[in-house]
Amino acid sequence: MYFFLSQLSVSDILLATDILPNILRTILMKETIISFSDCISQFYFFCVSETSECLLLTVMCYDRYLAICKPLHYTLAMSFQLSCIMIITCWVLSVLIVLVHTLTISQLQFCGPNVIDHFFCDLDPILQLSCSDTTIVLLEVTLLNFVFVVIPFFIIIVSYVYIIITIFRIPSITGRQKVFSTCSSHLTVVCIYYGTLVCVYLVPSKGHSWNITKFLSLLYTVVTPLMNPMIYSLRNKDLKKTVAKIINHCLHLHFSK
C-alpha cells in the first residue's frame, strides 16, 4: 500500500509542479504570457498526471480488494514484482497515450488572438483557439476518457461492491471497523478525485458561467493534490497525536487570553 502511495505522491507532485506556479503568476499579475510550446508541454504533463492517477487509484483498489476479500492469497497474488509491473505499466501507458493525443492537438492551426481565458492550458481553452477541424481530437478525447476514466471507475465500483459485501459478512463490529479503516482513505480520495472530474467535465456547462468552470478546475488541480497526503496521513498515529497537541495548545492559548 505504501509503495502505491509513493507513486500517487509522485503523480500529485507532477501535477502541482506543472500547474501551480503558472496559476500563482496568473493570479498575482492578472495576466501572463506563455508560448505555444510551453502551453502544449503544460497540457501534456497535466494529462499524464491525471491519467496516471486514474490508473494508480484503480491498482490501489485492486490491492485493497485482494487484502480484504482474499487475505490468504494476498501475499502470493500481490507480490512486489507484480506491484512493480503494474506501476510501470500505469506510467508507460500514461506517458505514451497522452503523447499521441498531445501531438494531434499540436498539429491544429491556431488563429489569433491567442488568449486563453483560464488559469492553465486545459483542453477546452486550447480547442477554442483553433480555427481548424477538431473532430479527430474530440473523438480521441472521448475514447481516452472511456478507456482511462470510465473503465477504471467501473472497476473501482465493482471492487468496492465486493469489499462492502465482505465487510458485512464479518460478525463483529470491531472487525468491520478495522477492515473498513484499511480502505477508507482510498475510498475518500476516489470520491474526491472522481467527484471533481464529474463536476468539471460531465456536468453541463450551459447552466453556469465560464468563471465557475475555471474555479471548479482548481478542485482537481489544487485541492486534490493538497488533500491526498492529508487524508492518508490521518491514519498515522504519531500525526494524530501531533495534530491533537496543536489543537489543544491553540485552545489553551485562546482560553488563557
Side-chain angles (χ1 to χ4, degrees):
M1 182 181 66
Y2 290 106
F3 177 63
F4 293 139
L5 282 178
S6 66
Q7 301 304 307
L8 186 65
S9 299
V10 172
S11 177
D12 288 336
I13 291 172
L14 176 63
L15 177 61
T17 306
D18 180 50
I19 299 297
L20 281 181
N22 195 62
I23 289 181
L24 294 175
R25 184 180 178 185
T26 303
I27 293 174
L28 294 175
M29 301 181 63
K30 305 301 180 183
E31 62 180 16
T32 185
I33 298 176
I34 184 172
S35 65
F36 177 74
S37 58
D38 291 342
C39 184
I40 293 297
S41 299
Q42 186 187 60
F43 175 74
Y44 171 73
F45 287 107
F46 162 71
C47 290
V48 168
S49 62
E50 293 294 303
T51 305
S52 62
E53 185 145 355
C54 287
L55 297 178
L56 289 172
L57 288 176
T58 307
V59 171
M60 293 171 68
C61 183
Y62 176 69
D63 175 71
R64 293 299 86 199
Y65 164 77
L66 289 178
I68 295 175
C69 299
K70 298 181 179 181
L72 298 180
H73 299 85
Y74 177 78
T75 305
L76 181 63
M78 187 57 72
S79 62
F80 183 73
Q81 182 179 3
L82 178 60
S83 300
C84 292
I85 292 174
M86 296 172 73
I87 291 298
I88 293 173
T89 303
C90 290
W91 283 110
V92 170
L93 284 177
S94 302
V95 170
L96 295 181
I97 297 300
V98 173
L99 179 61
V100 174
H101 175 54
T102 307
L103 290 176
T104 304
I105 294 178
S106 65
Q107 300 302 315
L108 297 175
Q109 294 182 354
F110 296 90
C111 306
N114 294 327
V115 179
I116 295 180
D117 185 17
H118 209 292
F119 293 113
F120 62 97
C121 294
D122 203 354
L123 177 64
D124 287 340
I126 294 177
L127 295 184
Q128 288 175 6
L129 301 180
S130 175
C131 53
S132 56
D133 187 13
T134 59
T135 304
I136 296 179
V137 176
L138 294 176
L139 288 176
E140 286 183 354
V141 170
T142 303
L143 178 61
L144 292 177
N145 285 340
F146 180 77
V147 175
F148 292 101
V149 178
V150 177
I151 293 180
F153 186 55
F154 178 75
I155 294 174
I156 291 174
I157 290 177
V158 173
S159 300
Y160 268 105
V161 168
Y162 282 101
I163 289 173
I164 292 173
I165 292 174
T166 303
I167 290 176
F168 277 108
R169 287 177 178 174
I170 299 175
S172 64
I173 298 178
T174 305
R176 293 178 186 176
Q177 293 176 347
K178 184 177 180 180
V179 173
F180 182 75
S181 65
T182 62
C183 60
S184 58
S185 300
H186 176 264
L187 182 60
T188 304
V189 171
V190 168
C191 292
I192 293 175
Y193 180 71
Y194 280 97
T196 55
L197 290 182
V198 168
C199 290
V200 175
Y201 292 107
L202 298 184
V203 174
S205 58
K206 294 181 179 180
H208 50 74
S209 65
W210 178 243
N211 288 330
I212 296 178
T213 303
K214 289 193 296 182
F215 282 103
L216 284 175
S217 66
L218 296 178
L219 293 176
Y220 61 88
T221 56
V222 178
V223 176
T224 302
L226 175 66
M227 294 297 295
N228 283 353
M230 296 174 62
I231 292 172
Y232 280 105
S233 296
L234 289 176
R235 295 188 59 195
N236 188 291
K237 295 181 179 180
D238 294 332
L239 183 65
K240 287 182 179 179
K241 292 179 180 179
T242 303
V243 173
K245 289 181 180 179
I246 294 174
I247 294 175
N248 292 331
H249 180 68
C250 293
L251 292 176
H252 177 72
L253 291 177
H254 176 72
F255 286 111
S256 63
K257 293 180 179 178

